[in-house]
Amino acid sequence: KFINLTQLLKDNIDDINSKLKTNLGDGFAANSESLKEVTTALIKITESQKNLDNLNKEVSDLNNILNNTQARGKYGEAILGDILYQVFGDTHDLYQEQYAFKNGKIADAIVRMPSPINIVAIDSKFSFLDYEKLFDDVNQTSDEEVKKNFKTRLKEQISKISKDYIIKNVTCEYAIMFIPSDGIYQHIQKDNDLYQNVVLYAQKNK
């Protein structure tokens, strides 16, 4: 009986050890797999964070560009030059960038039209800071005042282009103000007040 009891006890212990070993092995395997998944997720998060950091830097760089008047001017000129190249290619006799008139004024570009007096001047104007204030929640100025300043700024630019780049017997009877921002352009077109006070003002001043 003692031998039988000992054998039974041994068998039970062996069985417990076997199950424990199996369970521990399965647990370690599951934990190992989970650890791999967590590690993979952390790697992806790290990569995503790097992408966000890069994006944040690019946005900051762009914001710095747009907040610098001279840089904005260069940006507008570059966009204008690219559009002219896409339209005319290498045929520079049809257009010219940074064209100097005899009155000392330099247009960002001119396009030659098929007429006796054929020069049409194009000047790039990027009223970004005035436009940005329209959507600035922390801006202390009233919406009407901000909008009024935006209209005034645009009209000043229109008047300057009309005065500088519509030259009798030298250019056509009109000039072009290029706005290198779809957002600003669409906003002017969609807002009835801006359309009446800016677009029609521009037409009146040719």
Side-chain angles (χ1 to χ4, degrees), residues 16 18 50 57-58 74 79 85 94-95 102 104 107 109 117 120 158-159 162 164 166 189 191 194 199-200 205:
I16 290 171
S18 177
K50 287 180 181 178
K57 183 179 182 303
E58 290 172 5
K74 294 295 182 184
I79 297 295
Y85 181 80
L94 295 180
Y95 77 98
K102 290 182 179 180
I117 301 176
V120 176
I158 290 167
S159 297
S162 178
D164 292 348
I166 300 177
Q189 292 289 331
D191 188 290
L194 286 175
V199 177
L200 297 185
N205 283 270

Side-chain angles (χ1 to χ4, degrees), residues 5-193:
L5 184 61
T6 301
Q7 186 61 45
L8 180 61
L9 183 61
K10 182 178 180 302
D11 291 343
N12 287 338
I13 291 174
D14 289 342
D15 185 47
I16 290 171
N17 285 336
S18 177
K19 289 179 178 179
L20 184 61
K21 184 177 180 180
T22 300
N23 290 337
L24 286 175
D26 292 342
F28 283 130
N31 288 337
S32 178
E33 187 63 31
S34 297
L35 187 60
K36 286 180 182 179
E37 292 176 359
V38 170
T39 303
T40 301
L42 287 173
I43 291 172
K44 289 181 179 179
I45 290 172
T46 303
E47 291 174 350
S48 298
Q49 183 63 47
K50 287 180 181 178
N51 292 334
L52 286 174
D53 290 342
N54 290 335
L55 179 60
N56 184 55
K57 183 179 182 303
E58 290 172 5
V59 170
S60 297
D61 291 344
L62 179 59
N63 189 56
N64 290 334
I65 290 172
L66 296 179
N67 279 297
N68 182 289
T69 304
Q70 186 176 6
R72 282 201 311 275
K74 294 295 182 184
Y75 173 79
E77 292 169 15
I79 297 295
L80 175 59
D82 185 59
I83 291 173
L84 291 171
Y85 181 80
Q86 295 299 325
V87 174
F88 298 111
D90 292 324
T91 53
H92 291 293
D93 53 321
L94 295 180
Y95 77 98
Q96 185 176 331
E97 296 180 65
Q98 298 302 307
Y99 184 86
F101 290 99
K102 290 182 179 180
N103 65 0
K105 304 298 180 181
I106 300 176
D108 289 331
I110 59 119
V111 174
R112 292 185 174 88
M113 306 294 285
S115 60
I117 301 176
N118 65 351
I119 293 177
V120 176
I122 308 175
D123 206 52
S124 174
K125 296 297 182 185
F126 198 172
S127 305
F128 175 74
L129 295 183
D130 299 287
Y131 174 71
E132 183 183 39
K133 291 175 184 176
L134 293 171
F135 307 95
D136 189 355
D137 293 334
V138 298
N139 182 44
Q140 300 299 316
T141 313
S142 68
D143 291 342
E144 285 302 316
E145 187 67 21
V146 171
K147 191 173 182 180
K148 180 181 177 182
N149 293 338
F150 184 52
K151 285 188 293 186
T152 300
R153 179 62 177 153
L154 288 168
K155 291 172 79 171
E156 287 174 353
Q157 293 172 340
I158 290 167
S159 297
K160 188 176 187 306
I161 291 173
S162 178
K163 178 183 176 182
D164 292 348
Y165 303 123
I166 300 177
I167 307 169
K168 189 175 182 179
N169 298 324
V170 176
T171 70
C172 293
E173 295 182 351
Y174 59 91
I176 296 174
M177 181 169 81
F178 172 64
I179 300 176
S181 166
D182 289 341
I184 296 177
Y185 182 77
Q186 291 293 335
H187 186 75
I188 295 170
Q189 292 289 331
K190 289 180 179 179
D191 188 290
N192 186 59
D193 182 51

